[in-house]
Amino acid sequence: MLTYKVTVFTGLEVFAEETNSIYLTLIDSKDQSSDRVLVNKSLFTPLQREISLDICVKEDFGDIVLVKLEKEKHLVNCNWFCEHITVKSPSEKRFEFPCHCWLEDEKPVFIREGTARLPQDDSGFLKKKRLEELESRQGKFRWTERCQGFPKSIEGEIPPEVQFDQEKKKSFADNEMKAKKEFILEKCKELFHSCKGMEFFEKILEDFTSKHPLLEKNMHDWRKDYMFGYQFLNGCNPVMIRKIRNIPDKFPVTHEMVKGFLEKGVTLKKELKEGNIYIVDYEILEGVPTSSDLVFLTAPLCLLYKNRLDQIVPIAIQLSQTPGEKSPIFLPSDNEYDWMLAKMWVKSADFLVHQLVTHLLKTHLISEVFEVAMYRQLSAVHPVYKLLKPHVRFTIANNAIACENLISKGGIFSKITSVNGDGIAKVIQNAMETLTYESLCFPETIEDRGMEYVLSKYYYRDDGMMIWYTINSFVSAVVKIYYESDETVQSDGEIQDFVKDVSFGMNNSDKFPESLKTREELVKYLTVVIFNASAQHAAVHFGQFDWYGWIPNSPSTMRKPPPEQKGTVDMQYIMESLPDHERSYMILETSWGFTQFQENEPFLGTYPEMCFTEEPVKEAINTFLNELDEVTKIIKRRNKGLTFDYGYLSPDKIPNSVAI
C-alpha cells in the first residue's frame, strides 16, 4: 500500500462542538478517486487549526488534481470552512490546494490544485468541473438593481464565502463601540447648551487634537483661504479641482472683480492663459431635492487661483448655477461673515459629492460590480481570479452594511445631510451619466482635469501616480506569466465574459469595454480594479476625521438658506446654519469610526490568503512588495519636510480592498 499525506487547514470559525462529519477524497489526472476519508471535525478547535490524514492506495495515483470535500447531512446543519489543503505523494511530491471556501450543505465541493490555469488549457473532466463551478456560482451571485440608475449589486442573501469572517466582525463591533465611547451624545448635548458659538465645536474635540495633528491644524487655520484651497488638492475629495482656460458663462467673473487678488500687474485673461486659474463646480447637485424645508442645498461654483506662494486660494464663489441679482458672486474682499459663509456652502456641497460620488459610487459600488462579476465568470483556478480576490475581499458584505446603516431610508446619511433617499438616488444617478471606464483610470482623470504638470503640492496626484504604475508593473508581470500573446487574451472565454458582465453591472454598457483584445488592455483593466479598490479608496476614505471632524470646515448640512445678497449675515446666522448638536455627534462618531484600521489589516501587496502557488508569481509579489516599500520610503522622506503630512496614499496605510 502507498500512503498520501494530507494536511487540512481550517479557519477559526470552526468549533469543537460542531458535529457534521466531513469526508475527503483525492482525485488524480485520470479522474481516479481514492477511498474517502473522514476528517474528524471534533478535533478542530479555535486553538488547533490543522489535522493530518493518511490516505492509503494500492498504487501511485501520480498527480493529484482535485480534492473532493463532502459534509454529511445531520438534523443540525453546521457550515464548515476550509482554508487550505496540502497533499504529499509517496514520491514526496507536494500539491497545494488553496480553498478559502465553505461547505454549506451535503453537496460536494471540488477544490482544484493550486496551479493557475486559463480555461482554454483545461479539457475533459476538469473542464466539466470548471463549468459546473461557474454554473453553481452564477446561481448564488445574481445581479439586481439596488436603486434605479445605480450600478447593479448582488441579489438576495450574501453567500458565506464573501461574508465577514469572525475577525472582521469583531473588528467592526469593536470600532463601533470605541466610537460610541469617544463621542457620548449626552456630553455633546451638555456642551451645546453650555458653550456659545464656535466654542461648542472646540470643546467636543479637545481630547483629540493631540492625536490628530492635521485636525488640530485644520481647527487653527480653517478660516484662512490657503487652508480652504489646500483641501481641494489633498483633502477628502481631491478630484474636483480642474484647470480652466476660459471662465464659464454661468459664472460671470470679471477681471475688475478679482484683480485685487491676483499678482500685481497681471490680468485674469493672462492668468487663465498661463494655467493659474482653477475651478470646482458642483453642477451635479443642481435640482437635487432636500429632505425637508428645514435644510438647504446649493450647487455652487468656486474660482481658485495659484498665487506666487504656490498656494491654491479662492477668489470668487457663486452659490448657484444661475447668475443674477439673487445669486451674487462673493469675493475675499467682502465682509468676513459673507466670505466665511460662502466658503462653508462650497465645502458643504463638497461633503455631499465626496461621500456619495467620489467615495460611495466610485470606490464602494463599482468594486462590488467587479467582485460579483469575478465570482460569476472566473473559476477559482483562473489566474485573474487569484489576482483580484484579495482586492475585492469583503466588499459585498461591507456594502450591505453601508447601504443598510448609512444610505437607507432613515439611515445616518439622511440624518446628517440635507438629502434623504430621493436626493441620494438623484446624486448617484447624475454621477452615473458621466461615469466611464476612462474616469476610473487614474492617469487619464488627472490629465482630463488639466492637473498633470501643475502645482507642486498636489500630493494626491504625485503619490497616486507612483502607486498606479507600481500596481501596473506588478499586474503586467503576472499577466505575462499566463498570457503568451494577445491571442491568448482573446481566446480566454472567462475573461471576456468577466469584462462583459462588468459592463452589464455598471448599467453603462456603452461606456465600459465589453471585450479585451491585447495583454496591454488586460493589464490596464486589472490595474483599474486594484487601484480603485485599494489606493483610491484609501485616498478618499481615511481623511474623513482629519477634515470633517472640525464641523465648520465641512458642514454636512446647512440649516439656513444661502444668502441672496451681500451684507445680510452675521455670526449668529452662521451658527444657526451649521449642523446642530445631534448631527455633529453623528458626524464625529461616524467619521472617527470609519478611519480606524482593523487589527491585522492586510495592506496593499500583502496576501494572507495566498491563492497562487507558482514560484514566478510569488517572485512577482515579492518584487511588488519591495517596490511598494520604496514608495513608502519616498513619501515618508517627503512628509518630514511638510507642514501638513500627506500619508493617505502611503502603501503601508492602504488596505487591499474596500472593506471598511
Side-chain angles (χ1 to χ4, degrees), residues 59 180 272 332:
E59 59 182 32
K180 291 186 181 299
L272 283 163

Side-chain angles (χ1 to χ4, degrees), residues 553-585:
N553 179 64
S554 290
S556 64
T557 188
M558 300 295 274
R559 296 183 295 134
K560 288 282 189 179
E564 295 182 344
Q565 55 183 317
K566 298 182 181 184
T568 61
V569 303
D570 55 16
M571 196 63 193
Q572 181 179 345
Y573 188 94
I574 289 175
M575 291 304 301
E576 291 172 354
S577 297
L578 293 174
D580 58 24
H581 63 280
E582 288 197 26
R583 287 187 177 96
S584 299
Y585 160 77

Side-chain angles (χ1 to χ4, degrees), residues 142-317:
R142 301 180 304 276
W143 290 116
T144 190
E145 196 170 47
R146 182 177 280 116
C147 182
Q148 185 177 3
F150 277 45
K152 288 184 168 56
S153 58
I154 192 169
E155 180 184 43
E157 187 175 344
I158 299 173
E161 57 260 51
V162 295
Q163 292 179 10
F164 287 163
D165 59 21
Q166 297 289 30
E167 183 180 25
K168 185 66 177 178
K169 289 177 184 176
K170 183 178 183 301
S171 175
F172 246 71
D174 288 350
N175 284 340
E176 184 177 359
M177 186 63 67
K178 289 176 186 176
K180 291 186 181 299
K181 288 181 179 179
E182 295 285 358
F183 300 100
I184 302 172
L185 180 57
E186 292 306 316
K187 178 184 176 183
C188 293
K189 290 180 178 179
E190 182 181 326
L191 288 172
F192 186 79
H193 292 297
S194 63
C195 300
K196 295 182 179 180
M198 294 290 175
E199 186 185 3
F200 164 71
F201 299 113
E202 293 170 355
K203 286 288 186 182
I204 201 172
L205 290 173
E206 62 184 1
D207 295 333
F208 292 90
T209 53
S210 62
K211 302 174 185 177
H212 298 272
L214 269 179
L215 174 63
E216 183 178 23
K217 291 168 184 171
N218 186 18
M219 291 173 63
H220 187 265
D221 281 359
W222 70 279
R223 297 190 190 197
K224 296 180 180 179
D225 288 348
Y226 91 89
M227 178 64 87
F228 176 87
Y230 175 85
Q231 293 172 68
F232 292 110
L233 300 178
N234 303 307
C236 279
N237 197 21
V239 303
M240 295 298 295
I241 186 171
R242 63 173 56 241
K243 183 171 64 179
I244 57 172
R245 299 292 185 181
N246 298 287
I247 302 294
D249 292 340
K250 64 182 180 180
F251 193 15
V253 178
T254 66
H255 173 69
E256 290 301 315
M257 289 180 183
V258 300
K259 65 181 181 181
F261 322 122
L262 306 178
E263 297 301 320
K264 188 175 181 180
V266 301
T267 64
L268 178 59
K269 183 177 180 180
K270 180 180 179 182
E271 292 296 64
L272 283 163
K273 185 177 180 181
E274 293 292 327
N276 292 325
I277 303 297
Y278 301 81
I279 197 170
V280 287
D281 184 352
Y282 298 92
E283 183 179 14
I284 194 174
L285 298 180
E286 188 173 25
V288 172
T290 57
S291 55
S292 76
D293 295 334
L294 302 177
V295 289
F296 301 88
L297 180 65
T298 63
L301 301 104
C302 177
L303 206 64
L304 298 154
Y305 176 55
K306 187 188 81 168
N307 64 21
R308 62 183 177 83
L309 299 176
D310 204 25
Q311 296 171 334
I312 287 291
V313 293
I315 57 174
I317 293 172

Side-chain angles (χ1 to χ4, degrees), residues 11-234:
L12 294 178
E13 293 86 353
V14 181
F15 295 89
E17 61 268 23
E18 296 175 354
T19 56
N20 291 87
S21 299
I22 306 297
Y23 293 91
L24 181 149
T25 306
L26 302 180
I27 303 173
D28 73 356
S29 56
K30 297 179 181 179
D31 200 13
Q32 298 179 113
S33 300
S34 70
D35 294 335
R36 72 175 191 169
V37 176
L38 176 66
V39 179
N40 189 343
K41 208 170 106 180
S42 66
L43 293 180
F44 289 99
T45 72
L47 298 178
Q48 184 179 348
R49 298 181 60 184
E50 63 180 80
I51 187 172
S52 296
L53 307 169
D54 287 344
I55 296 183
C56 296
V57 296
K58 293 180 179 179
E59 59 182 32
D60 193 341
F61 269 21
D63 290 349
I64 305 301
V65 296
L66 284 173
V67 168
K68 179 182 178 182
L69 294 173
E70 299 171 275
K71 183 156 66 71
E72 192 174 78
K73 187 175 181 180
H74 281 228
L75 291 176
V76 178
N77 181 54
C78 298
N79 290 349
W80 186 79
F81 182 77
C82 183
E83 186 176 279
H84 193 91
I85 297 171
T86 64
V87 178
K88 186 182 289 186
S89 72
S91 61
E92 298 296 307
K93 189 171 182 179
R94 184 182 176 92
F95 302 92
E96 300 284 345
F97 295 82
C99 303
H100 313 298
C101 68
W102 286 88
L103 273 73
E104 304 170 59
D105 48 37
E106 64 273 19
K107 190 175 181 179
V109 172
F110 293 87
I111 310 299
R112 284 286 296 266
E113 191 273 324
T115 303
R117 293 176 64 87
L118 299 177
Q120 57 263 47
D121 297 330
D122 274 341
S123 60
F125 79 98
L126 287 178
K127 185 172 184 177
K128 181 182 177 183
K129 292 297 181 190
R130 189 169 186 144
L131 293 173
E132 290 173 353
E133 173 199 4
L134 291 176
E135 184 179 352
S136 173
R137 290 233 220 95
Q138 287 165 11
K140 291 193 291 184
F141 291 83
R142 301 180 304 276
W143 290 116
T144 190
E145 196 170 47
R146 182 177 280 116
C147 182
Q148 185 177 3
F150 277 45
K152 288 184 168 56
S153 58
I154 192 169
E155 180 184 43
E157 187 175 344
I158 299 173
E161 57 260 51
V162 295
Q163 292 179 10
F164 287 163
D165 59 21
Q166 297 289 30
E167 183 180 25
K168 185 66 177 178
K169 289 177 184 176
K170 183 178 183 301
S171 175
F172 246 71
D174 288 350
N175 284 340
E176 184 177 359
M177 186 63 67
K178 289 176 186 176
K180 291 186 181 299
K181 288 181 179 179
E182 295 285 358
F183 300 100
I184 302 172
L185 180 57
E186 292 306 316
K187 178 184 176 183
C188 293
K189 290 180 178 179
E190 182 181 326
L191 288 172
F192 186 79
H193 292 297
S194 63
C195 300
K196 295 182 179 180
M198 294 290 175
E199 186 185 3
F200 164 71
F201 299 113
E202 293 170 355
K203 286 288 186 182
I204 201 172
L205 290 173
E206 62 184 1
D207 295 333
F208 292 90
T209 53
S210 62
K211 302 174 185 177
H212 298 272
L214 269 179
L215 174 63
E216 183 178 23
K217 291 168 184 171
N218 186 18
M219 291 173 63
H220 187 265
D221 281 359
W222 70 279
R223 297 190 190 197
K224 296 180 180 179
D225 288 348
Y226 91 89
M227 178 64 87
F228 176 87
Y230 175 85
Q231 293 172 68
F232 292 110
L233 300 178
N234 303 307

Side-chain angles (χ1 to χ4, degrees), residues 6 37 45 148 262 305 336 338 451 614 623 627 630 659:
V6 180
V37 176
T45 72
Q148 185 177 3
L262 306 178
Y305 176 55
E336 66 170 310
D338 280 351
M451 303 298 292
E614 302 97 300
T623 300
E627 291 177 353
E630 285 302 310

Side-chain angles (χ1 to χ4, degrees), residues 466-467 470-471 604-606 623-633 651-652:
M466 287 193 289
I467 299 295
T470 302
I471 292 173
L604 186 59
T606 58
T623 300
F624 183 38
L625 284 170
N626 290 335
E627 291 177 353
L628 289 172
D629 187 52
E630 285 302 310
V631 173
T632 300
K633 291 175 182 176
D652 60 344

